[in-house]
Amino acid sequence: MADAATLGQEEADPPVGVDRATPLLSASGISKRFGAVQALDAMNFDLKRGEVHVLFGENGAGKSTLINVIAGAIQPDQGALVVDGKVVRFRDVQDARRSGVAAMFQEFSLAPDLTVEENIFLGAEPRRYGFLRIAERRARVREALARFGFAIKPTSIVSHLSRAEQQMVEMTKALLTEPRVLILDEPTASLSQKETESMFGLVRHLCSQGVGIIYITHRMKEIEAIGDRVTIMRDGRFVKTVEVATTSQKSLVEFMTGRSFEQFYPEIPHDPGEVVVDVENLTTANGCVSQVSFQVRTGEILGIAGLVGCGKSEMIRAVFGLEPLRSGTIKVNGRNVPTLSPGKLLEMGVAYITSDRRNEGLMLLRPTKENLTLSSLGQVELSRAGWLKIATEKSFASRLGERLRVRPLDLDKLVVKYSGGNQQKIMIAKAMGRATRIFLFDEPTVGIDVSARVEVYGFIKELVAAGAAVVVVSSDLPEVMNLSHRLLVVRNGEIVDDVGGQDISEARVLHGFFGTKDAASLH
Ligand SMILES: Nc1ncnc2c1ncn2[C@@H]1O[C@H](COP(=O)(O)OP(=O)(O)OP(=O)(O)O)[C@@H](O)[C@H]1O
Ligand SMILES: [Mg+2]
């Protein structure tokens, strides 16, 4: 196994006989069709040694498909891949890994019932590690996790970890193959500031050793922070490759969408009415939330910001009756939550939009129209039956889908066949289909592109103007700061700051995150 000093080091130079100017990897004329969808259409891409090359494009543009081809996960219909000047044809992901191309995929490949160490070694070469005793294996995994700066126990069962932690395991697994080309598909989608920083540190370290990184993100800030070049894709095609240093955010968005945006975050009028959610001294049974009190009123957006880990998601899960309580009270419309099931809360006009769309939010193997019109909760399905006859399922679903620009909108298509961002849009659209007054959003814009974000924010604005109460839990700091009328800052399951409108600033929120003692004086 490589240690920190040697990881990727011998790749700083091209192999003997290969010119320095030869790209580390190039893909040319790559096409791939899925049924009626031309996901990639003669796409071109090249990667230099030691660069971070960002792939940028709207949801469904073909980014994941391209990296799936590069990483050997799918076979292209046409086109060629060249690594270090040699044409390669990867049979599968293992084959690509042997040639030094490893990916951390958007949807993880971890076995949920196995431990962290078992998962990490599942991806490793058996001849290298097969003979290791458990204690030794554990020590190596612990050492690798520590080296990459990830605080995770090797013996934890993967399904018990948060999404961010699972991502770290996936990353560790990819890094241990000592790749020369590392592909990261939205690696920070569920990480927050601090984890993102350490991920960036790791990426820079790898680059300094000559590893080429293909990086997919929808976050403009990240492109600026970490990218060297950006290739923009639209409808499966190559649009342009530009240098980050000489390209504005505005022009990137224009290349991507073919149009420009004047204002990203809408002005949302604050018109607080009655209290509809009232939480007092809440402590959850698992201890993740401790002694928390807050209220949500109609006509306002309450933001909840904090680092990934115990706390902020659990606060709204508890409001939706999904977390057993140890002490304290939660009232929704004056009624006690522990006595109300999630199904009952839905009937009362409460929607919870989970951050875990794959396991909780969507029925992946069912057609889109069913996902849009029915809730996955059985009770509601029955209670909506009469209503569904009135508004025909199909026209209703297509209105919802169009509203959030699900593309290409095909109501009979299984949700699993949509790109990641489009799945997220389907889940949000689903929540719009009911007469709902209280919206609990957990990471609402994970993985969705700039244009759809503007739609989601516009949608939240309309909800608030119509008198809804909205809670947004988000680790995307600009998002939660710009949308919220009031912002709760959470650290280790406790509310450490409660900031109103004009007083919301990045410095103040960060001080809350990290516990700097003069947080409250930073107005
Ligand atoms: N297995 C599949 N079966 C059918 N269609 C697919 C499949 N995988 C991808 N597609 C389609 O190919 C197109 C490109 O999808 P892809 O996942 O590459 O987009 P993306 O750029 O990664 O989007 P996002 O930003 O939402 O992740 C989309 O229209 C998608 O619906
Ligand atoms: Mg994708």
Side-chain angles (χ1 to χ4, degrees):
M1 185 189 298
D3 59 23
T6 61
L7 192 69
Q9 197 166 53
E10 67 272 34
E11 278 80 36
D13 292 312
V16 180
V18 176
D19 194 85
R20 262 199 170 280
T22 308
L24 173 55
L25 176 142
S26 74
S28 52
I30 307 277
S31 295
K32 179 73 190 178
R33 174 179 279 276
F34 295 109
V37 179
Q38 188 72 45
L40 292 175
D41 188 358
M43 178 66 195
N44 297 323
F45 176 80
D46 76 272
L47 180 70
K48 296 179 190 167
R49 289 172 188 78
E51 78 165 338
V52 176
H53 195 143
V54 176
L55 271 180
F56 192 57
E58 293 192 313
N59 295 131
K63 303 176 298 294
S64 294
T65 307
L66 178 64
I67 59 116
N68 279 329
V69 167
I70 294 176
I74 59 175
Q75 307 301 318
D77 300 334
Q78 266 172 352
L81 277 183
V82 177
V83 176
D84 277 327
K86 277 203 220 79
V87 176
V88 291
R89 195 170 271 279
F90 299 138
R91 280 192 308 279
D92 52 29
V93 173
Q94 280 70 34
D95 196 19
R97 286 202 165 147
R98 279 192 290 272
S99 298
V101 179
M104 195 180 100
F105 294 105
Q106 187 171 22
E107 308 303 349
F108 305 152
S109 58
L110 301 176
D113 299 329
L114 299 184
T115 64
V116 169
E117 57 182 340
E118 284 162 347
N119 265 285
I120 288 175
F121 278 88
L122 210 61
E125 295 267 332
R127 71 185 152 77
R128 276 197 194 170
Y129 303 113
F131 60 89
L132 290 184
R133 282 193 314 260
I134 289 179
E136 198 172 336
R137 191 172 76 175
R138 191 160 297 162
R140 292 211 173 183
V141 171
R142 188 169 291 135
E143 180 271 331
L145 289 167
R147 170 149 47 95
F148 304 139
F150 301 148
I152 301 170
K153 272 212 220 111
T155 48
S156 303
I157 301 287
V158 159
S159 62
H160 298 169
L161 300 177
S162 71
R163 208 183 135 82
E165 289 166 330
Q166 292 185 12
Q167 199 144 20
M168 293 167 192
V169 177
E170 185 90 11
M171 178 92 168
T172 305
K173 199 173 138 181
L175 285 178
L176 286 178
T177 66
E178 300 171 42
R180 289 184 296 154
V181 174
L182 178 66
I183 301 170
L184 302 172
D185 194 353
E186 301 190 39
T188 60
S190 54
L191 305 187
S192 64
Q193 205 89 4
K194 195 172 161 210
E195 290 90 353
T196 300
E197 288 300 322
S198 50
M199 163 87 64
F200 285 179
L202 197 55
V203 164
R204 287 194 189 100
H205 172 72
L206 292 167
C207 284
S208 72
Q209 307 202 317
V211 177
I213 314 255
I214 306 176
Y215 194 102
I216 299 181
T217 183
H218 289 290
R219 296 183 174 173
M220 308 294 295
K221 253 189 150 173
E222 289 187 3
I223 298 181
E224 239 161 55
I226 196 90
D228 297 305
R229 292 194 297 162
V230 183
T231 288
I232 299 114
M233 302 180 66
R234 202 192 302 159
D235 301 328
R237 291 191 208 108
F238 173 85
V239 175
K240 219 176 171 58
T241 298
V242 296
E243 300 280 337
V244 173
T246 54
T247 312
S248 69
Q249 290 194 0
K250 198 165 177 295
S251 45
L252 278 181
V253 172
E254 284 178 24
F255 293 140
M256 173 175 97
T257 59
R259 62 195 179 114
S260 61
F261 294 92
E262 287 317 316
Q263 204 181 358
F264 201 67
Y265 295 103
E267 283 293 323
I268 304 179
H270 187 195
D271 183 17
E274 56 175 315
V275 172
V276 285
V277 176
D278 191 355
V279 174
E280 224 172 302
N281 287 324
L282 167 70
T283 299
T284 53
N286 61 10
C288 282
V289 175
S290 162
Q291 292 292 311
V292 156
S293 302
F294 64 95
Q295 294 184 328
V296 194
R297 293 172 181 273
T298 58
E300 75 171 357
I301 302 175
L302 176 73
I304 303 182
L307 298 178
V308 168
C310 255
K312 57 190 196 317
S313 296
E314 285 82 357
M315 283 166 62
I316 57 171
R317 292 179 68 82
V319 173
F320 200 63
L322 294 170
E323 289 285 334
L325 311 188
R326 183 181 301 162
S327 58
T329 56
I330 305 176
K331 289 194 169 145
V332 171
N333 291 338
R335 299 173 64 181
N336 267 316
V337 166
T339 65
L340 305 168
S341 64
K344 185 72 199 161
L345 284 156
L346 267 171
E347 273 175 36
M348 286 166 60
V350 184
Y352 165 68
I353 299 97
T354 174
S355 62
D356 186 359
R357 62 174 177 256
R358 294 183 70 83
N359 293 316
E360 285 184 358
L362 292 168
M363 301 179 285
L364 292 173
L365 296 174
R366 305 297 307 168
T368 301
K369 63 170 183 279
E370 262 179 50
N371 272 277
L372 284 173
T373 50
L374 298 174
S375 166
S376 49
L377 293 168
Q379 308 92 306
V380 182
E381 226 165 279
L382 290 175
S383 72
R384 305 305 300 188
W387 172 86
L388 273 175
K389 283 184 196 126
I390 305 166
T392 68
E393 189 182 24
K394 199 138 187 165
S395 73
F396 182 69
S398 65
R399 254 188 297 139
L400 289 179
E402 266 158 31
R403 178 103 195 252
L404 276 175
R405 300 165 161 265
V406 174
R407 276 202 273 169
L409 184 56
D410 174 357
L411 296 174
D412 296 316
K413 180 157 149 170
L414 305 185
V415 168
V416 72
K417 294 199 170 167
Y418 273 102
S419 74
N422 279 306
Q423 290 181 11
Q424 183 74 15
K425 292 184 212 167
I426 291 168
M427 191 174 72
I428 293 178
K430 195 178 115 180
M432 295 161 60
R434 272 176 238 113
T436 303
R437 194 153 170 247
I438 302 171
F439 288 84
L440 309 168
F441 287 103
D442 196 355
E443 308 287 354
T445 59
V446 164
I448 72 176
D449 67 41
V450 180
S451 357
R453 264 176 192 247
V454 173
E455 297 297 324
V456 170
Y457 299 151
F459 160 60
I460 290 178
K461 175 180 176 162
E462 278 174 38
L463 295 176
V464 175
V470 174
V471 182
V472 175
V473 170
S474 176
S475 34
D476 184 331
L477 205 48
E479 167 175 286
V480 78
M481 281 174 33
N482 280 289
L483 288 182
S484 305
H485 295 121
R486 283 191 305 124
L487 184 61
L488 304 178
V489 182
V490 174
R491 188 174 72 241
N492 298 333
E494 292 175 33
I495 295 174
V496 292
D497 203 0
D498 180 344
V499 203
Q502 301 307 314
D503 296 333
I504 298 175
S505 72
E506 185 163 346
R508 179 154 173 178
V509 175
L510 290 178
H511 280 285
F513 283 4
F514 298 114
T516 322
K517 65 179 185 313
D518 58 351
S521 63
L522 275 167
H523 291 255

